[in-house]
Amino acid sequence: MELQELLLPAALFMLTCTAAMEINPEAEALLRWKSTLIGANSLSSWSLANPTCSWFGVTCDGAGHVTALNLSSSGIYGKLDAFCSTDLQNLTRLDLSNNNLDGHIPTSLPEVVPRLLYLNLSHNGFSGPIPRSLTRLQNLIVLSIKNNNLTGGIPKELGTMPRLKYLYLRNNLLGGYIPTSFGNFTSLVAMDLSWNNLTGGIPKELGMIPRLEYLYLMNNLLGGYIPTSLGNLTSLVAMDLSWNNLTGEIPKELGMIPRLEYLYLRNNLLGGYIPTSLGNLASLVRMDLSLNNLTGGIPKSLVWMDLSHNNLIGGIPEELGMISKLKNLILWNNLLGGFIPTSLGNLTSLVIMDLSHNNLIGRIPEELGMISKLEYLFLWNNLLGEFIPTSLGNLTSLLGMYLSQNQLHGSIPPCFAKMQKMQDFQLNGNNLHGVIPPELFTNWTALVLLDLSNNSLSGSIPAEIANWNDLLILYLYGNNFIGSIPEELGNMTSIIWLDLSENHFTGTVPSQIGHISSLESLDIKTNHLEGELPASISNLTDLKYLVLSHNKFTGTISNLNGMELPTLCQLNGLQLLDLSHNKLFGELPSCIWSLRYLKFLDLSSNTLVGEVTTMTNSTSSLISLYLSNNIFSGSFSAMLKNLKNLTVLDLQNNKISGVIPPWIHESNPSLRILQLRSNLFHGSIPWQLSQLSYLHLLDLSENNFTGSIPNSFANMSSMCQPKKETNIDNGFDEITYSYYGEVNIVWKGRDYSFLKAADFMTSVDLSRNSLSGEIPSQLTNLSGLRSLNISRNYLSGGEIPTGNQLRTLDDPSIYSSNPRLCGFPLNTTCNDHSISTSPLVGGHHHEYETFWLYYSATVGVVFGFGLWFGALFMCKSWRLAFFNCIDVTQYEIVKKIKQRAGDSSSHLAHLSVSEVY
């Protein structure tokens, strides 16, 4: 028993040692690397308890050696340093793509896996340079290290790898030149160096790679000419040189590549003509030459006699019509001119034709109607005129037609109804007239987007419009449509954007509009609509933009059409609300400030009354607030609280009173436009307005402001340098909705309305107040000021400050009706008596007021006595004598005033009643 107890541990020890001696060294190397990885749950089968060849991702040969390791998309984190073991000599395939490996690619990798044929490290986080040692993998066929963070240049030694067929370095941070040694590749089939920072030119040596089928160099910084040697790549199937800085012309030699199917030269600086030799590319399927500077013109081989019967002057060669297999022809955004070749009608395999954003003229060829497989036709933004050819109605496979922004006239051909697959139809911005063919409403049941805006189309919208069940966007604005808005629109429950503005629609808004639950934008401004707004609008819970301005709507906002609850306040997602220029009345509901996403509110030009209540919503998104031309009253300061994002505030022509609070720069730091014209404001102008660093339009005219012009106005940063023309940052995504509020100002003495342009106007209007004191000389620092008006005040100080920008404001009316001012640009010459540094309240204006007070009192007393003792003047002679005495008294008073006023008397004598006002 004792002997057995002694032998048992020894036997177990010997068995353990024997098992350890039999461990596969390849398995040991892999386990050593696994121990350094993070998140290696996918490698749970990697254990000595399992045969190595059964491990996840491991492939063995007949002798049990590991020959392939495929761990693509295994969710592993770590580095490759511990992978480098000389025990993996039999590995021929290594795929670690789509993981989270990082660090440098080990330089010792060729010694570890010398027999490697396939190496894929793409879609990881490797950094640093590409090891030059990789070139020692002389058997390598595939090298893919794309989508990493590799830096440095491309090693020229890669060109010495004789068996390499596929080289993928795409989407790294590689710089420098493309090695000329790449011309030594004898087996290379595909090269992808795109999406890097490569510079220099495209080496002509690339044209020496005999088997190259795919060449991708797009999205780099390559410049210079396209080498003509690329025409030698007779095996090439696809070439993409897009998004570089390539210059010069497209080499005619590219037309000598017989197998070329895909040619992309998009977004370069290429110019000149499209070579006619491209018509020889019989295998071409897709061609994209867009976003270049390709021009039209007459090829040198032509003589003037040929102009009468040749379309080559357009810059689109007729020879392109010979590419019978072409499916995509994309030439948009160039400088192509002239006519569209009729030969393009021969492209019977064409699916997409995009010739938009060029200078094409003339007519749309009838022959385009022969392209039976065409699905998308883009000809928008050219100079095409004449009629739309009826032959296009034969394009029964068409899904989208884009003829916008041309000069097409005539009517929409009724035969277009044969395009029963039509989904996207855009003819906006032309000169089309007539009605929408009724056949379209019946046959186009798959329509998703219709844009006929900015034409001269007429007629009414029929009830059959409801047949477009799948319609998402309907733009009919800027036409001459008449009649009422059809109730059947309520059945189009998929529609998102509906714009019927700038037409001649009459009647009321149908309540069925509220049934379009998906509606996000409703714009029916500038029509002749009337009546009350339907309460069903409150059902449009997805509505973001509601524009009903410039109509004749009546009723109140707070209680639309008899609803007990304020209808508009239920539209919680509303971002833009424009009800301006209507006949709405009543008070503004306080709940409107609870619309937390509301950015633009325009209620101007109605007859709204009452106070604009304090805004309690501290998270207000409001950017532009227009309440002008109403009858609002109450305090100004109550409107400003919690509007941190406000850039435009327009309260003109109301009865709002109070003072401008000194904390305005803290409460509304983003203000750009502040318009308080024609209200009942009083008090002094706070110097804190100059702390509004974005303020560039300030209108405080026609109020009761007193005191002096703050010297700090000279520090308004937005007016101290000329503004460049930019769009108003209105907080809206212009891709989805372009809207700019209207700004009405007095600009250099005249009334103007500005839209986008208001953002680069700089103006200060303080006219028609009771301001006194001197004009601050520091205002000459406002070099960006373009309009100033301080007329009809009580300003003194003698000579008007000049210099810098003020010298360019030479309209004398901007200083008029300030009797104690002189100098340029007024006609009043300054002298020693006209220059005064004392405030007007203690100077001559005070004396004027005293004399006129005496004069008024005298006249009052005289007329009072006349009422009491009128009987004494019943005699005509006595009455004449009395009034003669009054005239003499008046003359003496005026004479004394003139004497006291000195040189200013002539200016005072010319004041009319309107000027004093």
Side-chain angles (χ1 to χ4, degrees):
M1 187 68 178
E2 293 179 359
L3 181 61
Q4 291 177 346
E5 291 177 352
L6 291 173
L7 293 176
L8 182 59
L12 291 174
F13 176 78
M14 292 178 65
L15 289 173
T16 303
C17 291
T18 303
M21 292 175 62
E22 294 178 354
I23 292 178
N24 186 341
E26 295 174 326
E28 185 180 8
L30 293 176
L31 289 175
R32 190 183 309 115
W33 178 53
K34 175 190 173 183
S35 67
T36 67
L37 300 177
I38 301 172
N41 297 331
S42 59
L43 306 183
S44 59
S45 62
W46 287 26
S47 169
L48 291 178
N50 302 317
T52 305
C53 296
S54 68
W55 290 0
F56 170 79
V58 173
T59 301
C60 299
D61 60 12
H65 296 297
V66 176
T67 58
L69 183 60
N70 185 358
L71 299 181
S72 178
S73 304
S74 297
I76 56 177
Y77 293 75
K79 302 181 186 302
L80 275 184
D81 296 339
F83 181 83
C84 293
S85 171
T86 56
D87 295 320
L88 297 173
Q89 297 283 314
N90 296 301
L91 200 66
T92 60
R93 183 181 179 90
L94 178 60
D95 189 347
L96 303 178
S97 60
N98 290 293
N99 282 292
N100 297 287
L101 301 172
D102 56 17
H104 289 199
I105 299 174
T107 58
S108 59
L109 199 60
E111 284 73 33
V112 176
V113 285
R115 299 180 183 178
L116 208 61
L117 302 176
Y118 179 97
L119 177 60
N120 190 350
L121 303 179
S122 61
H123 292 276
N124 279 286
F126 291 111
S127 57
I130 299 174
R132 297 179 184 275
S133 59
L134 291 183
T135 60
R136 295 201 293 269
L137 295 171
Q138 290 292 293
N139 294 320
L140 202 63
I141 295 174
V142 176
L143 175 58
S144 179
I145 46 180
K146 62 184 180 182
N147 291 88
N148 280 284
N149 299 313
L150 299 173
T151 56
I154 300 175
K156 63 181 180 181
E157 290 81 0
L158 293 182
T160 64
M161 304 176 76
R163 300 184 62 187
L164 195 66
K165 289 186 177 181
Y166 302 95
L167 177 61
Y168 301 118
L169 306 181
R170 174 191 182 99
N171 202 6
N172 278 284
L173 302 172
L174 300 171
Y177 302 119
I178 299 174
T180 58
S181 62
F182 280 11
N184 299 326
F185 280 124
T186 56
S187 302
L188 200 66
V189 173
M191 180 194 300
D192 189 350
L193 310 181
S194 56
W195 293 89
N196 279 286
N197 297 317
L198 300 174
T199 57
I202 299 175
K204 63 181 180 180
E205 287 80 3
L206 297 189
M208 301 168 57
I209 308 176
R211 299 182 182 180
L212 194 63
E213 296 181 7
Y214 302 93
L215 176 61
Y216 300 117
L217 303 178
M218 64 276 200
N219 282 84
N220 278 287
L221 303 173
L222 299 171
Y225 300 122
I226 299 175
T228 58
S229 62
L230 297 185
N232 300 327
L233 300 174
T234 55
S235 298
L236 203 64
V237 174
M239 179 192 297
D240 193 341
L241 310 181
S242 305
W243 299 91
N244 280 286
N245 299 315
L246 299 173
T247 57
E249 298 185 356
I250 299 174
K252 62 181 180 180
E253 287 78 5
L254 297 188
M256 301 166 58
I257 308 176
R259 297 181 57 191
L260 196 63
E261 297 180 9
Y262 304 93
L263 177 60
Y264 299 106
L265 303 178
R266 176 191 182 108
N267 203 352
N268 278 284
L269 302 172
L270 299 171
Y273 306 111
I274 299 174
T276 59
S277 62
L278 297 186
N280 300 326
L281 300 175
S283 301
L284 202 64
V285 175
R286 293 188 176 93
M287 177 165 59
D288 189 347
L289 310 181
S290 59
L291 290 163
N292 279 285
N293 297 319
L294 300 173
T295 59
I298 304 168
K300 295 179 181 179
S301 59
L302 291 182
V303 295
W304 286 105
M305 187 176 298
D306 292 332
L307 298 182
S308 61
H309 58 273
N310 208 305
N311 291 318
L312 288 176
I313 63 170
I316 301 177
E318 280 194 354
E319 287 79 0
L320 296 188
M322 300 167 56
I323 311 174
S324 58
K325 295 182 180 180
L326 196 64
K327 292 184 178 180
N328 293 7
L329 175 60
I330 303 175
L331 305 177
W332 74 286
N333 210 330
N334 278 287
L335 302 173
L336 297 171
F339 304 107
I340 299 173
T342 60
S343 62
L344 298 186
N346 299 328
L347 301 175
T348 54
S349 298
L350 206 64
V351 176
I352 298 176
M353 178 190 292
D354 191 346
L355 310 180
S356 56
H357 271 287
N358 280 288
N359 297 316
L360 300 172
I361 61 173
R363 64 182 182 87
I364 300 173
E366 294 272 354
E367 290 76 5
L368 296 189
M370 300 168 59
I371 310 175
S372 58
K373 295 182 180 180
L374 197 64
E375 294 183 1
Y376 295 95
L377 174 61
F378 298 88
L379 300 178
W380 63 292
N381 208 344
N382 277 286
L383 302 172
L384 298 169
E386 301 188 26
F387 299 96
I388 302 174
T390 57
S391 63
L392 297 185
N394 298 326
L395 302 176
T396 55
S397 298
L398 209 63
L399 301 177
M401 179 185 289
Y402 310 85
L403 307 181
S404 336
Q405 305 300 327
N406 281 286
Q407 298 175 3
L408 300 170
H409 55 270
S411 58
I412 302 173
C415 62
F416 278 12
K418 294 187 293 183
M419 306 173 183
Q420 297 188 15
K421 297 181 181 180
M422 182 61 69
Q423 297 179 6
D424 195 342
F425 188 68
Q426 300 185 31
L427 291 179
N428 55 292
N430 282 287
N431 300 316
L432 300 172
H433 57 79
V435 301
I436 301 176
E439 296 88 346
L440 303 187
F441 296 104
T442 305
N443 290 7
W444 283 5
T445 55
L447 196 64
V448 174
L449 186 154
L450 177 67
D451 189 351
L452 302 178
S453 60
N454 291 321
N455 280 286
S456 298
L457 298 171
S458 57
S460 60
I461 308 300
E464 287 76 11
I465 193 173
N467 293 336
W468 294 338
N469 293 324
D470 297 327
L471 195 68
L472 299 179
I473 298 175
L474 177 60
Y475 290 149
L476 300 180
Y477 61 88
N479 280 287
N480 297 317
F481 291 115
I482 60 172
S484 59
I485 298 176
E487 298 177 354
E488 288 74 13
L489 282 176
N491 299 328
M492 304 172 66
T493 53
S494 297
I495 201 165
I496 297 176
W497 297 82
L498 177 60
D499 194 336
L500 308 178
S501 63
E502 299 176 34
N503 280 286
H504 304 292
F505 289 113
T506 55
T508 61
V509 178
S511 61
Q512 289 81 357
I513 290 286
H515 299 163
I516 311 176
S517 57
S518 59
L519 199 62
E520 294 184 8
S521 176
L522 174 61
D523 190 343
I524 50 178
K525 67 175 179 288
T526 318
N527 278 286
H528 306 294
L529 299 168
E530 56 190 5
E532 295 186 342
L533 302 178
S536 61
I537 288 180
S538 62
N539 299 329
L540 303 177
T541 54
D542 291 335
L543 200 63
K544 296 179 181 179
Y545 312 110
L546 179 60
V547 185
L548 310 178
S549 61
H550 293 84
N551 280 286
K552 301 176 183 178
F553 293 121
T554 58
T556 65
I557 298 178
S558 58
N559 191 3
L560 296 179
N561 207 14
M563 286 283 291
E564 294 183 359
L565 295 175
T567 302
L568 296 178
C569 295
Q570 300 180 45
L571 303 177
N572 294 321
L574 206 61
Q575 297 183 25
L576 184 152
L577 176 61
D578 187 352
L579 303 179
S580 64
H581 295 85
N582 280 290
K583 298 181 179 180
L584 301 172
F585 55 86
E587 297 187 355
L588 185 64
S590 59
C591 66
I592 203 164
W593 310 118
S594 64
L595 299 174
R596 59 177 302 181
Y597 301 109
L598 190 65
K599 297 179 180 179
F600 183 103
L601 177 61
D602 192 346
L603 304 177
S604 59
S605 298
N606 283 285
T607 52
L608 302 173
V609 299
E611 294 189 28
V612 181
T613 55
T614 302
M615 301 172 186
T616 58
N617 183 7
S618 60
T619 59
S620 174
S621 301
L622 204 62
I623 292 174
S624 298
L625 177 59
Y626 296 87
L627 301 179
S628 62
N629 297 304
N630 281 287
I631 318 176
F632 286 119
S633 57
S635 171
F636 168 68
S637 60
M639 303 178 188
L640 297 179
K641 295 178 180 178
N642 302 319
L643 296 181
K644 296 291 185 181
N645 300 313
L646 198 66
T647 62
V648 179
L649 178 60
D650 187 354
L651 304 178
Q652 297 182 79
N653 296 302
N654 280 286
K655 295 184 178 180
I656 301 171
S657 58
V659 299
I660 299 178
W663 41 259
I664 186 171
H665 67 295
E666 298 174 351
S667 179
N668 315 104
S670 300
L671 265 180
R672 296 185 179 191
I673 298 175
L674 177 61
Q675 295 187 282
L676 307 180
R677 169 187 291 268
S678 189
N679 277 283
L680 302 174
F681 295 113
H682 59 82
S684 60
I685 299 175
W687 64 267
Q688 288 86 351
L689 286 177
S690 62
Q691 301 298 305
L692 294 168
S693 56
Y694 301 104
L695 189 67
H696 59 85
L697 281 181
L698 176 64
D699 189 348
L700 307 181
S701 62
E702 298 184 45
N703 282 285
N704 298 316
F705 289 111
T706 57
S708 59
I709 301 174
N711 291 333
S712 61
F713 269 25
N715 300 323
M716 289 186 175
S717 57
S718 60
M719 300 187 190
C720 287
Q721 57 184 357
K723 292 182 68 64
K724 296 181 180 179
E725 183 173 355
T726 56
N727 290 335
I728 291 179
D729 181 11
N730 54 30
F732 297 109
D733 184 357
E734 291 188 56
I735 297 176
T736 56
Y737 201 99
S738 294
Y739 194 95
Y740 299 90
E742 182 177 323
V743 176
N744 299 303
I745 64 174
V746 176
W747 184 258
K748 296 186 178 181
R750 297 185 179 182
D751 292 326
Y752 289 100
S753 294
F754 294 102
L755 295 177
K756 297 181 187 180
D759 194 44
F760 70 97
M761 300 294 184
T762 50
S763 174
V764 174
D765 193 341
L766 308 179
S767 63
R768 293 183 173 89
N769 280 287
S770 299
L771 299 174
S772 57
E774 300 180 7
I775 301 175
S777 60
Q778 297 91 333
L779 292 184
T780 57
N781 296 333
L782 300 180
S783 58
L785 189 64
R786 299 190 182 186
S787 180
L788 174 68
N789 192 351
I790 53 177
S791 63
R792 295 170 175 81
N793 281 286
Y794 302 110
L795 298 171
S796 66
E799 187 170 6
I800 297 170
T802 57
N804 297 329
Q805 185 68 4
L806 289 187
R807 189 70 183 178
T808 67
L809 304 178
D810 55 1
D811 182 0
S813 66
I814 67 177
Y815 300 104
S816 64
S817 302
N818 288 285
R820 291 293 294 160
L821 295 181
C822 62
F824 177 86
L826 298 176
N827 294 325
T828 307
T829 304
C830 296
N831 54 41
D832 295 339
H833 299 289
S834 63
I835 300 175
S836 172
T837 58
S838 60
L840 270 177
V841 292
H844 294 301
H845 258 286
H846 179 69
E847 295 172 358
Y848 295 153
E849 293 171 359
T850 303
F851 277 115
W852 284 110
L853 178 62
Y854 292 158
Y855 171 72
S856 301
T858 302
V859 173
V861 170
V862 171
F863 277 95
F865 274 102
L867 292 174
W868 285 100
F869 302 104
L872 298 176
F873 298 97
M874 292 298 292
C875 178
K876 182 177 181 180
S877 59
W878 289 12
R879 186 166 64 250
L880 291 175
F882 173 78
F883 284 111
N884 182 61
C885 180
I886 293 293
D887 289 338
V888 171
T889 303
Q890 178 179 350
Y891 173 79
E892 291 296 329
I893 292 176
V894 172
K895 182 177 179 181
K896 289 182 179 180
I897 291 174
K898 290 182 178 180
Q899 292 174 349
R900 298 290 297 273
D903 293 336
S904 298
S905 62
S906 60
H907 182 72
L908 179 63
H910 285 86
L911 289 180
S912 64
V913 174
S914 61
E915 288 176 320
V916 172
Y917 174 74

